[in-house]
Amino acid sequence: MTKYECTACGFIYDPEKGHEGSGVAAGTAWEDVPEDWVCPLCGVGKDMFEPV
Amino acid sequence: MKDTFRALKISENVYWVGAIDWGLRNFHGYLTSRGSTYNAFLILADKVTLVDTVKEPFFDEMMARIRSVIEPDRIDYVISNHSEMDHSGALPKTIAAVRPEKVFASSMGIKALSSHFHWDQEITKLSTGDTLDLGGANLRFIEARMLHWPDSMFTFYDEEGILFSNDAFGMHLASSERFADELDETVLRYEAAKYYANILLHLSPLIERLIDKLPGFNLNLKMIAPDHGPLWRQDPETIIGWYSEWAAQKPTSKAVVVYDTMWQSTAKMARAVADGIISRGVQVKLLPMEGSHRSDVITEVLDAGALVVGSPTMNNQLYPTVADVLTYIKGLRPRGLVGAAFGSYGWSGEAVGHIENALAEMKVELACESVKALYVPENDVLARCVELGEKVASALGAKL
Ligand SMILES: [Fe+2]
Ligand SMILES: [Fe+2]
Ligand SMILES: [Zn+2]
């Protein structure tokens, strides 16, 4: 599954790990991360992420 | 005792109560040749409100300016638009002196302030779209996450059309004048560009998005009041227009050649490269790191279309000043550049390879093979440097 990087701060979303702190379960593909989810480090929206 | 410092009335109900830092020359590694200001604003309404504070050493100056308008303990609300210490440094002392009814910040700001001051100060959270009725003055808030920190926030004063934009639209420029229309436009544009290049360049995609979103907020914009440098009361669109231009990062017919040298060999190569570029009608800025500051280099890169880097090899590494500027440029993520590498060496010659890697990481398109010179470049090597310059110019020309 493709990882996505926050272009504002560099945080990398890894679908295999998900992100527990922001309520995204391990194994959640990027497409299934809720649209109103924001970067847990800097707070920008999903639209600021790019595949890496 | 009479106070030395006085506030400046900037609109019907707002006073500038900030500080002028004439002597500032180093803003976290950014050469601020013209000093700076830390702007703080006092809004007079039923709830007297202070928007931002100043850098800690200027606390007394800010308090004196406030006192020239109103007794500081009359302040009811303090709004922190940004947690960085040039604006929040005086916040703990301000809160202690004023004992405001409420302190406000964005959710990210609340976290960042607590990681700075390790306090148990209660702070009221503000989110995009929230409003605050001060009684005679209505404020609206727009979170500007990562412009340029996660906590960054704009405060908009509806009735007077003033956007307190914090670091955005600012510049490091100390002056006795408080308004942009009182200052030389060439200086304004240069310092605003330098500020953009050093503080915001890597966030250009976010800035484009913010500018696109601005009309949607239906702001009756009359003045932009940033936290550094002059306030824009006439044509605030000017600085927004400059930001659109810089955020787009369209390459221009200009190349930056940055280098350092041990025994003038890489310097000779740099001059040959520059000559090759000029011969193709492209403007060149040759920046020897011995006399150039990293923050001036990125300012030149802001509107350039090519970045050529030269370094001697020192103990198998890049020359330290070149490593410094490459690290700095990389973090600020200029886009759409073409480039090339060159340098002299004595035995192993790794520096040029290190430059190539750094340029690749920055997604700079290499226009041609690098040129290396063993010890001192002869005419044939210098001719190859001229050719390198020509190729960079052609590659750039193809992109314009
Ligand atoms: Fe800042
Ligand atoms: Fe600042
Ligand atoms: Zn982020």
Side-chain angles (χ1 to χ4, degrees):
Chain A
M1 282 192 287
T2 317
K3 293 179 187 175
Y4 278 74
E5 182 178 8
C6 174
T7 57
C9 80
F11 172 81
I12 289 177
Y13 176 77
D14 179 351
E16 268 163 41
K17 295 185 187 139
H19 190 266
E20 208 187 330
S22 57
V24 182
T28 307
W30 178 249
E31 296 69 35
D32 300 326
V33 173
E35 280 315 303
D36 59 357
W37 180 84
V38 295
C39 173
L41 290 192
C42 79
V44 303
K46 269 185 84 178
D47 57 341
M48 291 309 301
F49 281 69
E50 276 174 7
V52 280
Chain B
M1 194 187 81
K2 205 168 183 317
D3 274 326
T4 319
F5 299 103
R6 305 195 63 79
L8 182 82
K9 192 172 178 158
I10 62 160
S11 73
E12 193 54 35
N13 295 317
V14 182
Y15 289 80
W16 174 85
V17 291
I20 308 174
D21 193 350
W22 295 93
L24 183 78
R25 291 297 178 270
N26 176 5
F27 188 90
H28 59 51
Y30 164 170
L31 175 70
T32 47
S33 313
R34 289 185 166 105
S36 193
T37 66
Y38 314 110
N39 300 332
F41 303 95
L42 186 69
I43 304 173
L44 298 188
D46 290 349
K47 296 288 186 188
V48 177
T49 299
L50 179 66
V51 180
D52 290 326
T53 69
V54 294
K55 201 166 156 179
E56 197 274 341
F58 295 90
F59 169 73
D60 291 337
E61 184 171 332
M62 178 190 76
M63 290 303 275
R65 292 193 202 277
I66 293 171
R67 217 175 290 120
S68 74
V69 181
I70 197 168
E71 272 313 309
D73 62 7
R74 296 262 321 270
I75 292 174
D76 300 289
Y77 294 163
V78 177
I79 296 167
S80 166
N81 276 325
H82 181 27
S83 313
E84 196 162 10
M85 283 191 276
D86 49 335
H87 311 291
S88 72
L91 185 61
K93 278 187 178 175
T94 305
I95 293 171
V98 164
R99 280 178 286 118
E101 187 187 321
K102 280 181 173 178
V103 179
F104 298 89
S106 65
S107 60
M108 293 290 193
I110 293 171
K111 286 188 209 165
L113 289 170
S114 103
S115 302
H116 276 78
F117 303 118
H118 310 285
W119 58 11
D120 47 21
Q121 173 66 42
E122 198 185 310
I123 304 182
T124 307
K125 183 180 91 170
L126 293 169
S127 308
T128 296
D130 283 356
T131 56
L132 195 58
D133 182 357
L134 307 182
N138 284 281
L139 302 183
R140 266 199 276 169
F141 302 91
I142 301 169
E143 286 174 86
R145 290 181 180 174
M146 289 314 278
L147 288 177
H148 69 125
W149 274 17
D151 48 79
S152 300
M153 180 170 76
F154 295 169
T155 297
F156 187 69
Y157 179 0
D158 263 307
E159 288 84 348
E160 297 203 339
I162 304 175
L163 181 68
F164 300 102
S165 61
N166 196 263
D167 277 336
F169 308 120
M171 69 184 75
H172 290 308
L173 174 60
S175 57
S176 51
E177 300 81 359
R178 292 278 68 76
F179 293 101
D181 52 271
E182 301 170 307
L183 291 154
D184 180 345
E185 178 154 334
T186 314
V187 173
L188 292 174
R189 187 172 158 105
Y190 178 80
E191 291 300 343
K194 184 170 187 180
Y195 186 92
Y196 187 95
N198 282 277
I199 305 284
L200 298 164
L201 180 58
H202 58 303
L203 303 165
S204 291
L206 270 173
I207 289 171
E208 286 189 307
R209 219 155 288 195
L210 176 84
I211 292 174
D212 288 348
K213 271 197 281 186
L214 268 185
F217 291 113
N218 285 315
L219 308 179
N220 170 29
L221 186 63
K222 290 188 185 136
M223 192 192 300
I224 295 182
D227 273 4
H228 298 290
L231 320 178
W232 297 79
R233 67 179 165 187
Q234 278 177 21
D235 307 318
E237 295 76 18
T238 307
I239 182 97
I240 298 176
W242 291 351
Y243 269 47
S244 300
E245 193 187 310
W246 296 324
Q249 286 196 64
K250 281 220 182 77
T252 66
S253 181
K254 167 183 165 183
V256 172
V257 180
V258 53
Y259 69 95
D260 211 333
T261 196
M262 289 169 70
W263 293 105
Q264 296 305 313
S265 290
T266 305
K268 272 184 202 144
M269 299 173 81
R271 288 198 295 274
V273 168
D275 228 53
I277 297 171
I278 296 166
S279 74
R280 295 289 157 100
V282 170
Q283 187 195 29
V284 134
K285 286 286 161 83
L286 196 60
L287 301 171
M289 285 315 295
E290 192 183 0
S292 312
H293 196 273
R294 64 176 88 84
S295 57
D296 290 320
V297 174
I298 193 67
T299 306
E300 291 296 347
V301 169
L302 176 64
D303 65 351
L307 173 64
V308 185
V309 183
S311 175
T313 297
M314 187 187 230
N315 307 327
N316 314 102
Q317 306 298 320
L318 285 167
Y319 199 72
T321 53
V322 178
D324 174 312
V325 77
L326 282 174
T327 301
Y328 195 66
I329 297 172
K330 189 173 125 190
L332 288 162
R333 286 188 242 158
R335 288 177 301 175
L337 296 168
V338 298
F342 63 93
S344 84
Y345 66 104
W347 45 99
S348 54
E350 288 91 345
V352 164
H354 292 320
I355 297 171
E356 287 169 353
N357 292 340
L359 293 178
E361 274 187 76
M362 290 184 228
K363 301 192 174 79
V364 174
E365 242 175 78
L366 291 181
C368 57
E369 265 187 39
S370 308
V371 178
K372 289 162 94 171
L374 183 61
Y375 287 112
V376 176
E378 273 190 293
N379 276 340
D380 61 327
V381 174
L382 292 176
R384 284 170 50 218
C385 289
V386 172
E387 210 179 300
L388 179 147
E390 291 166 352
K391 285 180 178 159
V392 167
S394 306
L396 171 55
K399 296 191 72 177
L400 298 176

mmCIF file of all heavy atoms in Angstrom, chain B residues 3 5 17-18 50 53-54 58-73 75 90 93-99:
data_model
loop_
_atom_site.group_PDB
_atom_site.id
_atom_site.type_symbol
_atom_site.label_atom_id
_atom_site.label_comp_id
_atom_site.label_asym_id
_atom_site.label_seq_id
_atom_site.Cartn_x
_atom_site.Cartn_y
_atom_site.Cartn_z
ATOM 1 N N ASP B 3 6.412 57.773 30.566
ATOM 2 C CA ASP B 3 6.885 56.670 29.737
ATOM 3 C C ASP B 3 7.550 57.177 28.462
ATOM 4 O O ASP B 3 7.137 58.178 27.892
ATOM 5 C CB ASP B 3 5.715 55.758 29.372
ATOM 6 C CG ASP B 3 5.479 54.715 30.457
ATOM 7 O OD1 ASP B 3 6.464 54.283 31.068
ATOM 8 O OD2 ASP B 3 4.312 54.350 30.681
ATOM 9 N N PHE B 5 8.058 55.264 25.587
ATOM 10 C CA PHE B 5 7.518 54.736 24.334
ATOM 11 C C PHE B 5 6.021 54.986 24.220
ATOM 12 O O PHE B 5 5.288 54.810 25.183
ATOM 13 C CB PHE B 5 7.797 53.228 24.245
ATOM 14 C CG PHE B 5 9.255 52.920 24.261
ATOM 15 C CD1 PHE B 5 9.869 52.439 25.412
ATOM 16 C CD2 PHE B 5 10.039 53.115 23.131
ATOM 17 C CE1 PHE B 5 11.221 52.157 25.431
ATOM 18 C CE2 PHE B 5 11.389 52.840 23.144
ATOM 19 C CZ PHE B 5 11.984 52.357 24.303
ATOM 20 N N VAL B 17 1.252 48.666 19.363
ATOM 21 C CA VAL B 17 1.951 48.731 20.652
ATOM 22 C C VAL B 17 3.153 47.783 20.645
ATOM 23 O O VAL B 17 3.529 47.219 21.657
ATOM 24 C CB VAL B 17 1.000 48.400 21.833
ATOM 25 C CG1 VAL B 17 -0.031 49.494 22.023
ATOM 26 C CG2 VAL B 17 0.313 47.040 21.645
ATOM 27 N N GLY B 18 3.757 47.615 19.477
ATOM 28 C CA GLY B 18 4.871 46.674 19.336
ATOM 29 C C GLY B 18 6.218 47.283 19.690
ATOM 30 O O GLY B 18 6.308 48.248 20.446
ATOM 31 N N LEU B 50 -5.603 42.546 23.392
ATOM 32 C CA LEU B 50 -4.235 42.642 22.880
ATOM 33 C C LEU B 50 -4.015 41.497 21.904
ATOM 34 O O LEU B 50 -4.233 40.328 22.245
ATOM 35 C CB LEU B 50 -3.241 42.546 24.052
ATOM 36 C CG LEU B 50 -1.759 42.616 23.692
ATOM 37 C CD1 LEU B 50 -1.381 43.989 23.132
ATOM 38 C CD2 LEU B 50 -0.886 42.283 24.909
ATOM 39 N N THR B 53 2.065 39.496 21.346
ATOM 40 C CA THR B 53 2.976 40.298 22.163
ATOM 41 C C THR B 53 4.279 40.437 21.386
ATOM 42 O O THR B 53 4.250 40.403 20.156
ATOM 43 C CB THR B 53 3.209 39.688 23.574
ATOM 44 O OG1 THR B 53 3.952 38.474 23.471
ATOM 45 C CG2 THR B 53 1.895 39.432 24.295
ATOM 46 N N VAL B 54 5.379 40.619 22.079
ATOM 47 C CA VAL B 54 6.668 40.868 21.417
ATOM 48 C C VAL B 54 7.712 39.885 21.947
ATOM 49 O O VAL B 54 7.429 39.064 22.820
ATOM 50 C CB VAL B 54 7.136 42.319 21.672
ATOM 51 C CG1 VAL B 54 6.193 43.311 21.011
ATOM 52 C CG2 VAL B 54 7.251 42.610 23.172
ATOM 53 N N PHE B 58 11.687 42.928 24.856
ATOM 54 C CA PHE B 58 10.966 44.154 24.524
ATOM 55 C C PHE B 58 9.650 44.303 25.295
ATOM 56 O O PHE B 58 8.815 45.134 24.973
ATOM 57 C CB PHE B 58 10.700 44.207 23.013
ATOM 58 C CG PHE B 58 11.976 44.316 22.217
ATOM 59 C CD1 PHE B 58 12.644 43.177 21.781
ATOM 60 C CD2 PHE B 58 12.531 45.558 21.936
ATOM 61 C CE1 PHE B 58 13.832 43.279 21.068
ATOM 62 C CE2 PHE B 58 13.721 45.669 21.234
ATOM 63 C CZ PHE B 58 14.370 44.519 20.803
ATOM 64 N N PHE B 59 9.503 43.456 26.327
ATOM 65 C CA PHE B 59 8.287 43.500 27.146
ATOM 66 C C PHE B 59 8.023 44.908 27.692
ATOM 67 O O PHE B 59 6.924 45.437 27.572
ATOM 68 C CB PHE B 59 8.403 42.479 28.290
ATOM 69 C CG PHE B 59 7.343 42.622 29.345
ATOM 70 C CD1 PHE B 59 6.031 42.239 29.090
ATOM 71 C CD2 PHE B 59 7.657 43.147 30.601
ATOM 72 C CE1 PHE B 59 5.052 42.370 30.068
ATOM 73 C CE2 PHE B 59 6.680 43.284 31.582
ATOM 74 C CZ PHE B 59 5.373 42.896 31.317
ATOM 75 N N ASP B 60 9.063 45.534 28.278
ATOM 76 C CA ASP B 60 8.867 46.855 28.895
ATOM 77 C C ASP B 60 8.443 47.894 27.857
ATOM 78 O O ASP B 60 7.604 48.759 28.137
ATOM 79 C CB ASP B 60 10.157 47.329 29.582
ATOM 80 C CG ASP B 60 10.470 46.485 30.816
ATOM 81 O OD1 ASP B 60 9.528 45.882 31.375
ATOM 82 O OD2 ASP B 60 11.658 46.417 31.203
ATOM 83 N N GLU B 61 9.049 47.781 26.668
ATOM 84 C CA GLU B 61 8.724 48.733 25.602
ATOM 85 C C GLU B 61 7.252 48.590 25.200
ATOM 86 O O GLU B 61 6.533 49.586 25.059
ATOM 87 C CB GLU B 61 9.640 48.478 24.396
ATOM 88 C CG GLU B 61 9.452 49.476 23.273
ATOM 89 C CD GLU B 61 10.516 49.343 22.167
ATOM 90 O OE1 GLU B 61 11.658 48.907 22.454
ATOM 91 O OE2 GLU B 61 10.197 49.684 21.016
ATOM 92 N N MET B 62 6.800 47.336 25.066
ATOM 93 C CA MET B 62 5.399 47.105 24.703
ATOM 94 C C MET B 62 4.461 47.633 25.798
ATOM 95 O O MET B 62 3.471 48.312 25.506
ATOM 96 C CB MET B 62 5.145 45.611 24.481
ATOM 97 C CG MET B 62 3.696 45.278 24.151
ATOM 98 S SD MET B 62 3.347 43.507 24.161
ATOM 99 C CE MET B 62 3.303 43.186 25.927
ATOM 100 N N MET B 63 4.802 47.344 27.049
ATOM 101 C CA MET B 63 3.945 47.783 28.159
ATOM 102 C C MET B 63 3.865 49.310 28.222
ATOM 103 O O MET B 63 2.802 49.877 28.489
ATOM 104 C CB MET B 63 4.450 47.227 29.493
ATOM 105 C CG MET B 63 4.269 45.735 29.633
ATOM 106 S SD MET B 63 2.559 45.173 29.449
ATOM 107 C CE MET B 63 1.974 45.419 31.109
ATOM 108 N N ALA B 64 4.987 49.972 27.970
ATOM 109 C CA ALA B 64 4.983 51.437 27.982
ATOM 110 C C ALA B 64 4.067 51.972 26.889
ATOM 111 O O ALA B 64 3.305 52.920 27.096
ATOM 112 C CB ALA B 64 6.404 51.961 27.793
ATOM 113 N N ARG B 65 4.135 51.349 25.722
ATOM 114 C CA ARG B 65 3.267 51.803 24.613
ATOM 115 C C ARG B 65 1.792 51.580 24.969
ATOM 116 O O ARG B 65 0.941 52.422 24.687
ATOM 117 C CB ARG B 65 3.627 51.078 23.323
ATOM 118 C CG ARG B 65 5.002 51.449 22.773
ATOM 119 C CD ARG B 65 5.177 50.963 21.344
ATOM 120 N NE ARG B 65 6.590 50.837 20.960
ATOM 121 C CZ ARG B 65 7.347 51.837 20.541
ATOM 122 N NH1 ARG B 65 6.868 53.073 20.460
ATOM 123 N NH2 ARG B 65 8.620 51.635 20.212
ATOM 124 N N ILE B 66 1.503 50.432 25.592
ATOM 125 C CA ILE B 66 0.113 50.176 26.005
ATOM 126 C C ILE B 66 -0.327 51.247 27.007
ATOM 127 O O ILE B 66 -1.398 51.844 26.891
ATOM 128 C CB ILE B 66 -0.025 48.763 26.625
ATOM 129 C CG1 ILE B 66 0.215 47.675 25.557
ATOM 130 C CG2 ILE B 66 -1.410 48.589 27.272
ATOM 131 C CD1 ILE B 66 0.326 46.259 26.110
ATOM 132 N N ARG B 67 0.567 51.514 27.961
ATOM 133 C CA ARG B 67 0.248 52.471 29.023
ATOM 134 C C ARG B 67 -0.003 53.875 28.479
ATOM 135 O O ARG B 67 -0.705 54.678 29.110
ATOM 136 C CB ARG B 67 1.397 52.490 30.045
ATOM 137 C CG ARG B 67 0.941 52.641 31.485
ATOM 138 C CD ARG B 67 2.118 52.521 32.475
ATOM 139 N NE ARG B 67 2.645 51.182 32.551
ATOM 140 C CZ ARG B 67 3.907 50.846 32.252
ATOM 141 N NH1 ARG B 67 4.785 51.756 31.871
ATOM 142 N NH2 ARG B 67 4.301 49.597 32.352
ATOM 143 N N SER B 68 0.549 54.181 27.318
ATOM 144 C CA SER B 68 0.313 55.508 26.730
ATOM 145 C C SER B 68 -1.133 55.643 26.237
ATOM 146 O O SER B 68 -1.591 56.733 25.919
ATOM 147 C CB SER B 68 1.302 55.782 25.586
ATOM 148 O OG SER B 68 0.963 55.046 24.427
ATOM 149 N N VAL B 69 -1.850 54.492 26.164
ATOM 150 C CA VAL B 69 -3.243 54.517 25.698
ATOM 151 C C VAL B 69 -4.211 54.225 26.841
ATOM 152 O O VAL B 69 -5.234 54.878 26.994
ATOM 153 C CB VAL B 69 -3.469 53.447 24.592
ATOM 154 C CG1 VAL B 69 -4.910 53.483 24.092
ATOM 155 C CG2 VAL B 69 -2.491 53.629 23.450
ATOM 156 N N ILE B 70 -3.846 53.215 27.643
ATOM 157 C CA ILE B 70 -4.797 52.693 28.620
ATOM 158 C C ILE B 70 -3.999 51.987 29.721
ATOM 159 O O ILE B 70 -2.901 51.491 29.455
ATOM 160 C CB ILE B 70 -5.762 51.708 27.897
ATOM 161 C CG1 ILE B 70 -7.019 51.429 28.719
ATOM 162 C CG2 ILE B 70 -5.071 50.425 27.503
ATOM 163 C CD1 ILE B 70 -8.086 50.704 27.896
ATOM 164 N N GLU B 71 -4.520 51.934 30.915
ATOM 165 C CA GLU B 71 -3.824 51.174 31.960
ATOM 166 C C GLU B 71 -3.807 49.688 31.549
ATOM 167 O O GLU B 71 -4.861 49.134 31.232
ATOM 168 C CB GLU B 71 -4.521 51.351 33.318
ATOM 169 C CG GLU B 71 -4.034 52.541 34.111
ATOM 170 C CD GLU B 71 -2.512 52.646 34.183
ATOM 171 O OE1 GLU B 71 -1.848 51.647 34.541
ATOM 172 O OE2 GLU B 71 -1.968 53.727 33.870
ATOM 173 N N PRO B 72 -2.640 49.057 31.522
ATOM 174 C CA PRO B 72 -2.555 47.669 31.037
ATOM 175 C C PRO B 72 -3.519 46.704 31.723
ATOM 176 O O PRO B 72 -3.996 45.761 31.092
ATOM 177 C CB PRO B 72 -1.103 47.282 31.314
ATOM 178 C CG PRO B 72 -0.362 48.577 31.276
ATOM 179 C CD PRO B 72 -1.303 49.612 31.823
ATOM 180 N N ASP B 73 -3.850 46.946 32.992
ATOM 181 C CA ASP B 73 -4.756 45.991 33.656
ATOM 182 C C ASP B 73 -6.200 46.119 33.164
ATOM 183 O O ASP B 73 -7.066 45.341 33.558
ATOM 184 C CB ASP B 73 -4.658 46.081 35.185
ATOM 185 C CG ASP B 73 -5.057 47.451 35.725
ATOM 186 O OD1 ASP B 73 -5.544 48.284 34.924
ATOM 187 O OD2 ASP B 73 -4.868 47.688 36.933
ATOM 188 N N ILE B 75 -6.804 45.524 30.102
ATOM 189 C CA ILE B 75 -6.884 44.531 29.017
ATOM 190 C C ILE B 75 -7.663 43.316 29.514
ATOM 191 O O ILE B 75 -7.345 42.733 30.553
ATOM 192 C CB ILE B 75 -5.467 44.114 28.542
ATOM 193 C CG1 ILE B 75 -4.788 45.296 27.849
ATOM 194 C CG2 ILE B 75 -5.529 42.904 27.609
ATOM 195 C CD1 ILE B 75 -3.339 45.062 27.470
ATOM 196 N N ALA B 90 7.102 37.491 25.344
ATOM 197 C CA ALA B 90 6.645 38.367 26.424
ATOM 198 C C ALA B 90 5.262 37.963 26.943
ATOM 199 O O ALA B 90 4.704 38.639 27.816
ATOM 200 C CB ALA B 90 6.613 39.823 25.933
ATOM 201 N N LYS B 93 4.943 37.114 30.899
ATOM 202 C CA LYS B 93 5.034 38.347 31.694
ATOM 203 C C LYS B 93 3.810 39.233 31.486
ATOM 204 O O LYS B 93 3.343 39.897 32.416
ATOM 205 C CB LYS B 93 6.271 39.155 31.271
ATOM 206 C CG LYS B 93 7.577 38.686 31.903
ATOM 207 C CD LYS B 93 8.654 39.685 31.522
ATOM 208 C CE LYS B 93 9.996 39.338 32.154
ATOM 209 N NZ LYS B 93 11.064 40.244 31.677
ATOM 210 N N THR B 94 3.311 39.260 30.250
ATOM 211 C CA THR B 94 2.134 40.076 29.948
ATOM 212 C C THR B 94 0.930 39.564 30.739
ATOM 213 O O THR B 94 0.199 40.351 31.360
ATOM 214 C CB THR B 94 1.823 40.046 28.435
ATOM 215 O OG1 THR B 94 2.990 40.445 27.720
ATOM 216 C CG2 THR B 94 0.668 40.962 28.084
ATOM 217 N N ILE B 95 0.760 38.242 30.716
ATOM 218 C CA ILE B 95 -0.376 37.659 31.442
ATOM 219 C C ILE B 95 -0.258 37.964 32.937
ATOM 220 O O ILE B 95 -1.242 38.343 33.582
ATOM 221 C CB ILE B 95 -0.461 36.134 31.183
ATOM 222 C CG1 ILE B 95 -0.823 35.880 29.713
ATOM 223 C CG2 ILE B 95 -1.493 35.479 32.111
ATOM 224 C CD1 ILE B 95 -0.727 34.425 29.282
ATOM 225 N N ALA B 96 0.965 37.854 33.457
ATOM 226 C CA ALA B 96 1.182 38.111 34.883
ATOM 227 C C ALA B 96 0.881 39.570 35.227
ATOM 228 O O ALA B 96 0.297 39.866 36.272
ATOM 229 C CB ALA B 96 2.614 37.750 35.265
ATOM 230 N N ALA B 97 1.260 40.480 34.331
ATOM 231 C CA ALA B 97 1.083 41.903 34.609
ATOM 232 C C ALA B 97 -0.362 42.357 34.414
ATOM 233 O O ALA B 97 -0.867 43.201 35.149
ATOM 234 C CB ALA B 97 2.010 42.726 33.703
ATOM 235 N N VAL B 98 -1.032 41.779 33.413
ATOM 236 C CA VAL B 98 -2.345 42.267 32.998
ATOM 237 C C VAL B 98 -3.485 41.505 33.687
ATOM 238 O O VAL B 98 -4.546 42.034 33.927
ATOM 239 C CB VAL B 98 -2.447 42.129 31.450
ATOM 240 C CG1 VAL B 98 -3.866 42.241 30.968
ATOM 241 C CG2 VAL B 98 -1.538 43.135 30.764
ATOM 242 N N ARG B 99 -3.216 40.246 33.996
ATOM 243 C CA ARG B 99 -4.228 39.309 34.506
ATOM 244 C C ARG B 99 -5.523 39.394 33.674
ATOM 245 O O ARG B 99 -6.571 39.818 34.171
ATOM 246 C CB ARG B 99 -4.459 39.519 36.000
ATOM 247 C CG ARG B 99 -3.343 38.817 36.809
ATOM 248 C CD ARG B 99 -3.454 39.001 38.299
ATOM 249 N NE ARG B 99 -3.063 40.352 38.680
ATOM 250 C CZ ARG B 99 -3.862 41.235 39.262
ATOM 251 N NH1 ARG B 99 -5.103 40.923 39.550
ATOM 252 N NH2 ARG B 99 -3.422 42.422 39.574
#
